[in-house]
Structure formats: C-alpha cells, structure tokens
Amino acid sequence: MGKLCWGLVVVLLLAGAGALWKFGVQGETEAAADGRLAVPLSAGGRDHVLREMRAFLQAAQQIIDAANRGDMTAVAQAARRVGMAATHDVPAELMRKLPLGMKKLGRDTHRRFDQLALDAEQLGDPGQVMGALADLMRNCVACHDAYRLTVAPAAP
Ligand code: HEC
C-alpha cells in the first residue's frame, strides 16, 4: 500500500473512533444553561425515563416505610420492582441516545436495588437496608447533578 493509502486508513480509523466516541460514549448531549448536560430525546423517550424515575421514587418511599415496620418481605418486593428486571423493555432509542456514563449509573442503580432485595431477605436487618438505600441514592443525586432531559424536535 502506498503512503496515500495508509493516510486514508488512518483518517478512516480516526473518523470511526470519533463516531464511536460521539455516539457510543457521549451520546447526543449538549451543554444546558444550568451547567448540566442536556440529553435530547423524543417525547416518548423522555416519558419512558420519567416514568422509570417515578418508579424509583416510589420504591425508595416503600423501602423506607417497610424497613421502618421491619417488613423485610415488603422491602424486597419494592426493591425488585425497580431491579434489573425493570430494564428489559428499554426502548432502542434510549440505548442509542443516552451517554455511556448515564447508562452506567442507571444500570448500577437497578443492580443495587436487586442487591438490596437479596440482603433484606438474607440479613433481615432494617439498619442495613437503610444504609444500602442511602448509598444507592448517591446515584440519584449524582445523575441529577450531571444530566437533564430535553425533547428533540421530531426528525423530518
Ligand atoms: C442515570 C441517571 C439517573 C439516575 C441514576 C436517577 N435519575 Fe432520576 N432523573 C434523571 C433525569 C435525567 C431526570 C430528568 C431531569 C430533568 O430533565 O431536569 C430525572 C428525573 C427524576 C424525577 C422527576 C420525574 C418526573 O416525572 O418529572 C424523579 C422523581 C427522579 N428522577 C427520581 C429519582 C430517584 C429517586 C432516583 C434514585 C433511586 C433517580 N431518580 C435516579 C436521571 C437519573
């Protein structure tokens, strides 16, 4: 291969790496006025995320309530409802558009709810549940600090 060809290969590789970075890692984010990263989604995609969020909030409330009453079965049930099983119907749009860091935080949060459910059943310790929930909720805080959602104009 001549020099020109190698040059072309390098340019193509760089373009490929750039595209991977843009779409695989960064997603389609843009800086928002409040200092966070805005993630543009379709109206339906945004509704899906927010519905999932309200389920997170409801689970947190139910876990606190159940742990307070010492009802470990109810703790485990509430936590499992927002565990990894809740991620199976995630629309392809979200997999494509959410930045990698956000997906990781989201995944870790679902995983921690499953772990919390398991520990509640096996240890039966309300204090342990509250500690795990407090730790897990650092993910809520971190993600809300970093990202917000916007509705992108529908593609033509
Ligand atoms: C991976 C990122 C991420 C994680 C983790 C996360 N959230 Fe969110 N949440 C968001 C984003 C983004 C929004 C939209 C914020 C905006 O556009 O201003 C949101 C919005 C919400 C809303 C508003 C829902 C609505 O209908 O308007 C609630 C409530 C909420 N989150 C609760 C939680 C709770 C509780 C947790 C933790 C158990 C959590 N979230 C974890 C990203 C996350």
Side-chain angles (χ1 to χ4, degrees), residues 5-149:
C5 269
W6 281 115
L8 208 64
V9 166
V10 168
V11 167
L12 284 176
L13 279 178
L14 284 178
L20 202 68
W21 166 257
K22 176 83 185 74
F23 297 109
V25 179
Q26 211 181 13
E28 297 178 8
T29 53
E30 51 203 37
D34 64 6
R36 295 186 287 176
L37 275 180
V39 183
L41 297 177
S42 69
R46 178 170 179 269
D47 284 347
H48 183 99
V49 174
L50 294 182
R51 205 175 304 121
E52 191 177 304
M53 289 300 147
R54 295 192 297 277
F56 271 163
L57 181 59
Q58 187 177 33
Q61 190 278 332
Q62 289 171 341
I63 290 168
I64 294 168
D65 181 37
N68 205 25
R69 290 183 282 106
D71 185 346
M72 292 298 128
T73 309
V75 166
Q77 275 172 358
R80 282 223 173 82
R81 270 198 286 275
V82 289
M84 287 305 291
T87 65
H88 293 159
D89 66 335
V90 173
E93 177 199 357
L94 298 184
M95 296 313 293
R96 204 170 60 241
K97 290 188 180 171
L98 298 184
L100 188 64
M102 192 175 170
K103 278 188 281 206
K104 276 188 170 167
L105 260 176
R107 207 183 156 74
D108 185 62
T109 307
H110 288 292
R111 193 189 56 73
R112 281 169 184 260
F113 273 114
D114 278 334
Q115 186 63 48
L116 189 150
L118 206 63
D119 288 344
E121 286 167 343
Q122 294 184 346
L123 308 175
D125 176 0
Q128 189 278 336
V129 167
M130 295 306 274
L133 184 63
D135 273 350
L136 171 168
M137 287 190 80
R138 286 181 218 280
N139 279 6
C140 322
V141 175
C143 195
H144 296 153
D145 269 348
Y147 304 102
R148 62 179 299 175
L149 304 176

